[in-house]
Structure formats: structure tokens, C-alpha cells
Amino acid sequence: MNPRGFDPKAVAGKYPAPDRHVQVLVIGAGPAGIAAALAAALAGEQVLLIDENPVAAGLMGLDTPLYYGGRYTGAVQAKARMVEQVVGAKPDLEAAIEAGVEVELGVYAWGTWVPGETLAALPGPVAGLADDEKSWMVGFERLILATGARDVVFAFPGWDRPGVMGARGLAALIDTYDAFAGRRLAILGSGDLALATALHALEKGLEVAALIEIEETAQGSADLIAQVVRAGVPILTHTVPVCANGGLNGVERLTVRDLVRGAEQTFDCDTVVQAVAVTPVIELLDVLGAARAMQPALGGHAPVSPDGVATSLPAVTLAGDVAGIAAHPRDSVAYQQAWMRALIAAADGDVVVCQCEEVTRDALLAVRQPTYLGPPSPGMVRRPLAGLLEDGPVNQDQIKRLTRACMGVCQARRCREQVALTLACASNQAAADIPLAGYRAPVRPLPLSVLAAWDEARDMAGNWDVWFGIPGQWVPYADVGTDRQALHEGIFGGDMHL
Amino acid sequence: MSGSTKMGAGVIVIGAGVTGLSAAWWLARSGVDVLVLDKGVIGYEASSRNGGGASHYQSPLFHEEQRLWPLMDEMLGYSTEYRRERVVFATNAHHLENYRRTAVICRDLGYQVDDLDSQQVREFVSLAGDNVTGGIHLRFGGQANPQRTVQAYAWALQDLGGRILQHCPATKILSAGGRIAGVETPKGIFACDHLVVAAGPQAEALLAPVGVRLPLASARAEMIVTEPAPLMPVGGSDGNGLYGRQTLRGNLAYGGGPHEWLNVGPAGPAARPSTPLLRNLAKRVAELLPKAAHLRAIRSWAGVVENTPDGRPVIDRLDDPGNLTVATLSSVGFGLSPASGHAIRDLVIDGRCSFAEIDKLSIKRFAGLADDWREANGWVSTTDDQARRMMAA
């Protein structure tokens, strides 16, 4: 018999103690994460600072966590050497280590949780970490999220070729990995992000063929524009990318169209850098259930924070770009939507929007079922996006389920924002009004064998049930209320599989 | 929605989950003017967050479930991704013995179940490994895609003229003269001749003010999803304490294991977080299907589902008020939905279920239930501390 008031099949009391416990866990060893870790260590706290770089080459191929676009050298395959490279690229790390910060590189954070109203059974705040072989849990008293920002990218013909990448992906390959495989760039955008990307590339000895801007004027701050112009890099305004062409090695040329005259020009480049916008990496924040909101001036969906540090959860604070990126143009999301609108107008609808699930823009807007389900029924054909809109506001999760856009192995890093932008354009709404398609753990696509709790605790294993473990639930109806009911309950308990 | 602003209907269904939508669709098939109200988006809760299985031998609706699933794509006019048959297989002797007993129960009900040896299991479930001890092959049942199916019900309902109002929570059931008169919502009052409450975890709080006690406790259950693998001959394969399926896209979706009881308010579950339990699910999937251990897990889900005190459904048209029908499938609703909707339709229109005897699903069985039944079972939100103290006691 169970003690009164105790359900042995419930999870309460079964979460194992974390593999280790630290006072302060800092996720992300960019400048802000390192500074936060250093400050905590100097204040006498025990600090663990983790960073996923160097990321396994397999994840880089999935554009996780940044949009690398396949434009990296073979050096990224040599993980041990890459660790040295990453350490060398982060000179501030040394001071942090000297101050007592424990640093682990090549470690992914795939989930973080704190006990709360809907997670009362969790013994304490905990983070799920992993390397390429195994996963483990770390308990913490304070969590500092310094997860940075990632690229918002757009589909246009040829965007799935190697060499089309994001601005943050480029920065990581140049600065952190020293493994960028391109020479000559075309850069999409003319805001602060694009201008800074151009200047940084020039400083590193790369060529910049042009900046491409759909708006009438360059969008960034005046001093950055002046610097780029001084460097002799053309900023082609009122111009839209039409197609990235190339061969086996990826992009070789970019064709653009003048939006006023309609004239097209093509220039040689091996890399197209999408530098229209970046957005805060709020994956872990969302898994935590911390408050977030669409904040166009901060790059999109961003943590709700009064000061850029605090979150709605007392144990969790922010450091750096995860709190939001304020830059020119000020309304990043309106700017993103303008780009999306221009790209939609410039290309046919057969451009693939979701690379993993091969969903085209036409299929997305027609809410077309995936091809493996065969030809759609006549009813299905009558159910495009416009029909769903009559039933209520656009819901990206609903569109995902039906079209499978954003359901792939890159976990929608390549398409989450642009699918929302496309839906906004098609439904004549502001992109800021489209609800976020939420993030789910694991926020890195890691193998089952890595995530697995191979050392499952005895309480967990002993009480594991396929469903609720309610003995009467599976008694055949005819036997309910008869002598045979107890027989079934005795044999099976609740552990049934049908 | 669907352009209608009419503030009432012959039948109102509260809850656009899979049970409410199926019931509304069945009613619309019979020409009833039906309106479904939902606090959010159709099928957004546990109805689209489940294993998709359709093999519920324990239910009085079992035969109808089996009869209907192979017909559903055509009846609805939309794909449900239904795939027939299941393999349940074991990696230890105890489980195998249980499965073989289940096979006997199903055969006694008139359904074909084949016993499989380990080699045969691997032929049907190509990702299974050398650890298989044997299994059973259900030549019936199967699984469908819950997300596609809830949408199919909704569209099929609309095709028949039925209406769905999303983002329109029922805040109060209105009664007058001993009968249900309508439903109060933030968008106004909707009058009806008959009310169906299929509101999942929220049903208890909605019904209490009109004097109907539907005892429910709600809990979170979790699943994980992998990247796609090549399609296996049989899509539904369970074992090792897991239920799950391979989608037609190839992803593996598996759930099982301990639940967390939640205190759900009238507004519904506050959040549906998946938890570190996903590590245990990952381990068990990798054990069940060793050749899938390298697959990347790309998502997890959690759904909040309600259970009655005995874990069995309530499908009941009440005596008083006589124009009220109440339904909860007690955490096992998706697969049975084609049949549960049919049963609800029969109760609303004819006063009795035409295809099965369902008297034991009456709400009356809970008449003498103690007020503290949830606390007595431990079916309440429990902290780790509380649980460990109770285990030690």
C-alpha cells in the first residue's frame, strides 16, 4: 500500500540530484558572459562559465547555433585544435580563470529549469548540459544567460547554396574559429549590423563587393555609413537580391535588381552575408518560462526586463545581447518585414523557405500538406492561409503542424523569423503581432544517446509507468464492476502499452 | 468565425479539443446547428500533444473506434495520417508476459493479434535491436497524427456549416428553469438548446456552479521527438515503458513515464513545460530502438490531461438538467475520438448511444466520492520535499 496522499507514479521525489552544483552558472563566454563571470568570481562566488564553442562540425552543418552557411574550412573538424583556437580568440578568459572562474568549452546548454507553479516537483534550479558524448545536469543558485544574438535570415533563390550565411555566423568563423573559407563578400542590409560587418571584413583583409539595401537610403548610423563609403564600398540602395548562383563549391555570383529601373546587375562574390538583423537568443529563457515579449527596438522577441539584466525569474539574469540589440534602424522588425516584402515581390513562390522540410513559400501560404501525404484532398485545396485567417489570428504553431515549416532538424533557426514575417506580409499584419513559435528543450539537436540519462535512478526506474499507473484504467469494460476487475488490476497494474 | 455573428446555436460545445470537435462534427453530420467555443486555438492542449494511438481494447467504444479509423480520412475529407496496425515488443521477460496477456484479451474481443519472436519484431520494427525478447503484432488499431486530425475535424465541421469560435472562453454556464440556457463569454452570451461540455481540465470548475460534480485531477505528460529516420514497416511500436509512433515523415515521437499533478485553474494550464524527464525518455527510446540511438532529439512536448478518480471516461447525458451532456475521456481521448464523438451525438439527439452500452461511463458513479479524493490519492501538486518526506514516512 502507498502512504495516504502519495502517488508513487508521479514525478515528485524522482528527479535525481544534479551531477554537480555551482553557485553561479554563466551560459555563453562572449565578452558579456566573461565579464559577468569575472564579476561574480571577484565577489567571492563559485562560478562555472560554459560555452558551446567550438561547436561540433555536424551542428555547424545544421547552422546551429549560427548561420554559418557551410563557408568554413576543414579546420572545424579538428575539435581539440579548435578548443585551443577558441581559447586564444577570447583573451579575457585568462583573467576570468585567474580570478577562479571554472571554464568549460565545447559544452552545450540544452535546457534550464527552475521550480515553479507548473514545475513544483523539481528539487531546485537546474541546467541540462552536454558535450558530444554525454549529457549531465548542473544545479545552480544563480543563472546568468549570456547567450547572445543570432542571425535573422531570408529565403531568396540560391539562399540554400553554400556561401550564403549570416552576419553572426561570419563573425564567429572569422574571430572565434579563424576558419572562414570565403574571400569576397556581398552583404545584404545597410543598417549598423551590415555596416559593421563590412568594416570588420575589410579590416580582416576580405573584399566587400557591395552592400545591398532594399530601402531608398542606407539605414545605419551616419558615421558608419561614412566609413563604409570612404572605404570605397558601394551601397546599392533601392536594390533587391534576385539570385545567388554558383556551382559545386557554392555561391560564385549574386544578381541584384534595381527596384526603380528594373535593371539587373551581377557581381562576383563567394559569400553572401545576410546582415539585415539579428535577434536575441531566448531559447533557454523560453524553456525557463521567463517573461518575454515582442520588442521591435530590441530585435524581435526579447526578455521582459526593466534594466537589461533582471528577468521575471529571481534566479535568472541577463548579460549582453540576449537582453536585446538596439541599433539602427530602430524598428528592427519593421525593417525585417520590409525586406521580406521586397524579397517576396522579387521572386517566384517556389523558393524553399524551410530547408529541412523543403517547404516552399507557395506551399506555406497555401497551407499545403507535405508531399509525403500524397495529393491533397479537394477540401484541403480549399484551405489556404486566407481561410485560416477567417478563424482567428495567424498562429505560427498551427501553420507549422499543417505544412511542417519550422519542424526540421535545425530547430527552425533558419526559418522561424522569416516564416513569421512571411505570414505577416500575407495577412497584412505587422510582424510584431505574430505570436512567437515557442522554443522547446532540447534547444540543441543532440543525439538520443548523448541526452540519455543512462544512470536512471532506482526510484525513477522502479515506478516508471507507460501512462498514469491508474490500475482501473485498462480493465476491459465488460469486466468493470465484476469479480474479474481485481484480477486485471492485480496482473497489470497500470503498465499497459496499447 | 466563418463569418457568422449569430449569438447562439442548437447545440453549443465547450472545448475545441479532439472530443468536442468530433462531437460537433458528428452533430453537424446530422444537420444540427452547432457552435464550438474554445479559450484558445483548436486542439491546442493535450488533443494535439499525445501519442496518436488508436487501439483501446478496454473501452466500450473500442469496436466503433476500430470500425471508424480506416474510414476517417474519407469521412472527414482531410488527411489524419492514420496508419493501421501496431507492434508492441519487449526487452525483458516480464513485459513480454504482459503483452502476451493483452493479446489474449484482444483475441477474446474478436481481433487478430500475432505473437512475434525477436526476429519477427525486427522485421516490422527495423530500428529494434538484439535486445528484443519478443512481441505482439496487432492486426488492428494503429495511430494517426493528432495535430492533423484535430484540424481535420475542425475543417470537416466547418464544411458542414458548423461554427468554431476561437479565443472565446466560456466563463459561465447559464441555466434557467432547471435547464441550461446558454453560455457566457467575453464576446457575449450564446444561447443554446443543448450544451456539451468537453472542456478537458477546465470542465470541473465550469460545471460546479450548475450543480454538476465532475471530479477531475490534471497532470502533465511528456514526449520527445527525433529527426526523421527511414520509414519502418509498422509505424506504431511500443515497449520499454513507452508509447509512440513513427510519423509518416519519419520522426520518432515517444512518451511515457511519471507525470506531475498540477493545480489547474478555470483558465486552463498555466504552462506546459517539458522537463529534465526528457533525458529518461531519450534513454528509453535508445534502449527500445538501439539503431535509432544516434538520431538527434529535436523537440519535446508536454500536454496537460485530466483524469477521473477511476481513470475511466465520463460520457453522460444528465437527467437534470436534461439538456446537458458531459464528456471527459480521462487522459485517453485521442484514439477514441471518432467513437466518442459518435456517442455524444447519439446522446444529444437520441438520448442513448446506438452502438454500445456505456452505462458504466455515467457520472453517477462518483456520487459518494469523498471531498478530499485528490489529496487522498496524492493527485495534487507536490513538491520534491513533500514527496520525499511521504516516501520516508
Side-chain angles (χ1 to χ4, degrees):
Chain A
M1 274 307 286
N2 305 312
R4 182 180 158 85
F6 181 67
D7 175 4
K9 304 285 187 176
V11 78
K14 294 189 184 60
Y15 286 118
D19 297 278
R20 62 175 297 201
H21 188 90
V22 297
Q23 270 184 302
V24 181
L25 174 64
V26 184
I27 299 176
I34 295 174
L38 179 61
L42 293 176
E45 292 182 288
Q46 177 213 3
V47 185
L48 173 62
L49 168 63
I50 65 145
D51 193 281
E52 60 193 326
N53 292 295
V55 173
L59 281 179
M60 293 181 87
L62 293 173
D63 294 313
T64 301
L66 300 173
Y67 198 56
Y68 308 102
R71 229 359 145 222
Y72 38 79
T73 65
V76 302
Q77 305 279 352
K79 184 126 183 175
R81 227 171 57 214
M82 265 301 149
V83 172
E84 286 173 36
Q85 164 62 33
V86 169
V87 171
K90 296 175 183 293
D92 299 350
L93 265 186
E94 205 176 302
I97 293 168
E98 274 172 23
V101 174
E102 185 183 352
V103 178
E104 290 182 357
L105 298 179
V107 171
Y108 313 102
W110 48 266
T112 42
W113 295 270
V114 295
E117 190 193 344
T118 53
L119 200 46
L122 196 68
V126 69
L129 307 183
D131 58 23
D132 295 316
E133 264 80 52
K134 62 186 184 306
S135 65
W136 62 95
M137 306 302 289
V138 174
F140 58 83
E141 283 154 44
R142 289 210 297 131
L143 172 66
I144 300 174
L145 287 178
T147 46
R150 63 179 175 79
D151 305 302
V152 174
V153 294
F154 299 85
F156 61 91
W159 80 297
D160 47 356
R161 285 183 191 282
V164 180
M165 65 189 313
R168 290 287 168 129
L170 174 71
L173 292 183
I174 292 177
D175 299 331
T176 313
Y177 288 75
D178 190 20
F180 177 54
R183 281 292 316 150
R184 182 174 161 83
L185 322 178
I187 297 177
L188 307 188
S190 69
D192 288 351
L193 176 69
L195 297 164
T197 300
L199 293 170
H200 188 55
L202 291 170
E203 190 187 305
K204 293 288 174 181
L206 300 166
E207 294 174 52
V208 179
L211 271 65
I212 314 297
E213 174 55 56
I214 55 133
E215 300 283 7
E216 278 179 73
T217 56
Q219 298 291 299
S221 24
D223 62 321
L224 288 177
I225 295 173
Q227 287 181 56
V228 168
V229 170
R230 239 187 345 262
V233 176
I235 303 178
L236 307 180
T237 57
H238 239 160
T239 299
V240 66
V242 176
C243 187
N245 280 312
L248 280 180
N249 292 321
V251 174
E252 293 166 2
R253 294 175 299 284
L254 178 70
T255 300
V256 300
R257 181 186 302 147
D258 184 308
L259 284 167
V260 181
R261 290 183 295 268
E264 293 191 355
Q265 62 172 307
T266 297
F267 37 86
D268 292 341
C269 59
D270 53 41
T271 302
V272 177
V273 186
Q274 300 214 27
V276 172
V278 293
T279 195
V281 176
I282 59 164
E283 300 154 340
L284 292 170
L285 184 101
D286 201 28
V287 169
L288 278 161
R292 51 158 166 85
M294 169 51 93
Q295 298 170 73
L298 296 180
H301 294 277
V304 172
S305 173
D307 55 3
V309 176
T311 71
S312 64
L313 300 171
V316 182
T317 55
L318 310 168
D321 287 349
V322 65
I325 304 96
H328 290 280
R330 295 290 301 152
D331 187 338
S332 169
V333 175
Y335 179 52
Q336 293 169 33
Q337 189 168 2
W339 262 89
M340 194 77 250
R341 209 177 286 120
L343 289 167
I344 292 173
D348 291 337
D350 59 358
V351 61
V352 168
V353 174
C354 171
Q355 292 185 24
C356 300
E357 299 293 312
E358 297 179 356
V359 181
T360 65
R361 182 173 297 139
D362 278 348
L364 179 69
L365 297 179
V367 195
R368 199 178 296 152
Q369 67 187 25
T371 49
Y372 60 80
L373 289 180
S377 65
M380 194 71 212
V381 174
R382 293 193 307 268
R383 295 286 182 181
L385 181 64
L388 280 181
L389 290 174
E390 289 174 17
D391 301 346
V394 174
N395 185 296
Q396 192 174 344
D397 278 324
Q398 191 179 14
I399 304 284
K400 266 164 63 178
R401 300 163 171 189
L402 296 169
T403 65
R404 296 200 60 81
C406 301
M407 296 282 265
V409 68
C410 86
Q411 299 179 316
R413 277 178 193 82
R414 295 187 279 224
C415 63
R416 185 185 306 265
E417 289 75 24
Q418 63 167 313
V419 164
L421 293 165
T422 303
L423 295 174
C425 291
S427 59
N428 289 317
Q429 289 184 81
D433 294 337
I434 307 287
L436 176 74
Y439 293 92
R440 309 284 173 76
V443 301
R444 293 291 176 269
L446 299 172
L448 292 172
S449 57
V450 169
L451 282 172
W454 291 113
D455 53 347
E456 189 173 81
R458 216 171 48 151
D459 278 345
M460 181 75 86
N463 289 296
W464 187 280
D465 196 296
V466 69
W467 198 226
F468 278 82
I470 302 171
Q473 189 150 44
W474 309 105
V475 175
Y477 183 75
D479 294 339
V480 170
T482 72
D483 294 346
R484 292 176 54 80
Q485 176 162 350
L487 185 73
H488 286 287
E489 293 178 358
I491 292 171
F492 291 122
D495 202 10
M496 295 300 296
H497 281 81
L498 302 194
Chain B
M1 154 157 162
S2 301
S4 177
T5 52
K6 199 175 83 172
M7 295 298 278
V11 177
I12 289 178
V13 178
I14 301 177
V18 73
T19 305
L21 286 170
S22 175
W25 171 67
W26 275 98
L27 287 161
R29 280 165 53 86
S30 295
V32 172
D33 168 34
V34 60
L35 168 68
V36 183
L37 303 175
D38 196 274
K39 66 178 171 57
V41 175
I42 58 151
Y44 209 69
E45 303 286 353
S47 294
S48 63
R49 302 162 190 268
N50 62 72
S55 321
H56 300 101
Y57 69 86
Q58 81 280 9
S59 173
L61 309 175
F62 175 53
H63 297 302
E64 186 68 354
E65 176 192 49
Q66 298 311 311
R67 182 183 78 83
L68 285 170
W69 267 113
L71 310 174
M72 288 305 282
D73 280 21
E74 190 162 345
M75 286 176 76
L76 292 166
Y78 301 92
S79 172
T80 63
E81 270 190 64
Y82 173 70
R83 242 179 128 187
R84 205 179 165 87
E85 303 196 355
R86 274 183 108 73
V87 169
V88 187
F89 67 97
T91 51
N92 64 53
H94 167 69
H95 275 154
L96 185 58
E97 195 183 340
N98 264 3
Y99 303 159
R100 292 265 153 87
R101 283 201 183 99
T102 315
V104 172
I105 296 174
C106 294
R107 286 186 199 116
D108 286 350
L109 288 163
Y111 292 83
Q112 185 185 344
V113 184
D114 301 336
D115 288 342
L116 303 179
D117 63 27
S118 54
Q119 182 54 35
Q120 289 169 313
V121 168
R122 284 188 290 270
E123 280 165 21
F124 288 113
V125 185
S126 21
L127 295 169
D130 297 335
N131 55 348
V132 176
T133 52
I136 58 173
H137 185 186
L138 312 184
R139 298 294 187 153
F140 61 94
Q143 61 284 324
N145 178 331
Q147 301 178 336
R148 222 166 272 291
T149 302
V150 289
Q151 188 68 64
Y153 279 124
W155 282 338
L157 167 65
Q158 291 176 327
D159 289 343
L160 295 169
R163 291 168 292 152
I164 305 170
L165 260 179
Q166 302 185 114
H167 308 288
C168 186
T171 49
K172 191 179 178 188
I173 296 172
L174 304 171
S175 51
R179 290 178 61 78
I180 302 300
V183 179
E184 181 190 272
T185 79
K187 293 183 180 171
I189 288 171
F190 294 84
C192 63
D193 301 323
H194 195 109
L195 179 67
V196 175
V197 176
Q202 294 81 252
E204 180 172 16
L206 263 176
L207 287 164
V210 291
V212 176
R213 185 183 181 211
L214 177 61
L216 297 173
S218 298
R220 179 186 60 241
E222 303 179 43
M223 298 189 75
I224 59 169
V225 183
T226 71
E227 66 182 312
L231 281 190
M232 299 191 282
V234 170
S237 54
D238 315 275
N240 200 31
L242 301 171
Y243 59 90
R245 68 187 182 106
Q246 182 177 37
T247 70
L248 279 177
R249 171 70 175 95
N251 310 75
L252 305 176
Y254 275 88
H259 47 274
E260 177 165 0
W261 297 103
L262 303 172
N263 302 329
V264 176
R272 318 157 198 91
S274 51
T275 77
L277 193 67
L278 74 86
R279 292 185 75 218
N280 303 82
L281 290 168
K283 167 193 178 260
R284 283 166 176 271
V285 176
E287 285 172 347
L288 180 72
L289 304 170
K291 291 174 188 164
H294 67 287
L295 292 179
R296 298 174 185 277
I298 59 174
R299 278 189 288 285
S300 58
W301 301 328
V304 176
V305 278
E306 78 278 13
N307 266 302
T308 65
D310 58 18
R312 293 194 288 271
V314 169
I315 301 177
D316 197 2
R317 177 169 175 171
L318 305 192
D319 298 329
D320 180 25
N323 63 339
L324 175 63
T325 298
V326 173
T328 167
L329 271 288
S330 194
S331 78
V332 189
F334 175 77
L336 289 166
S337 65
S340 62
H342 189 184
I344 294 165
R345 174 245 165 249
D346 287 356
L347 292 179
V348 171
I349 295 180
D350 307 322
R352 60 179 296 277
C353 181
S354 62
F355 58 86
E357 180 276 298
I358 58 169
D359 294 348
K360 286 185 273 191
L361 303 186
S362 160
I363 201 169
K364 291 192 190 79
R365 68 185 192 272
F366 301 121
L369 190 71
D371 284 341
D372 68 344
W373 69 275
R374 270 178 288 248
E375 289 76 10
N377 283 339
W379 291 11
V380 289
S381 176
T382 306
T383 66
D384 179 70
D385 263 359
Q386 289 168 334
R388 287 183 197 274
R389 265 183 273 127
M390 280 187 276
M391 283 189 290

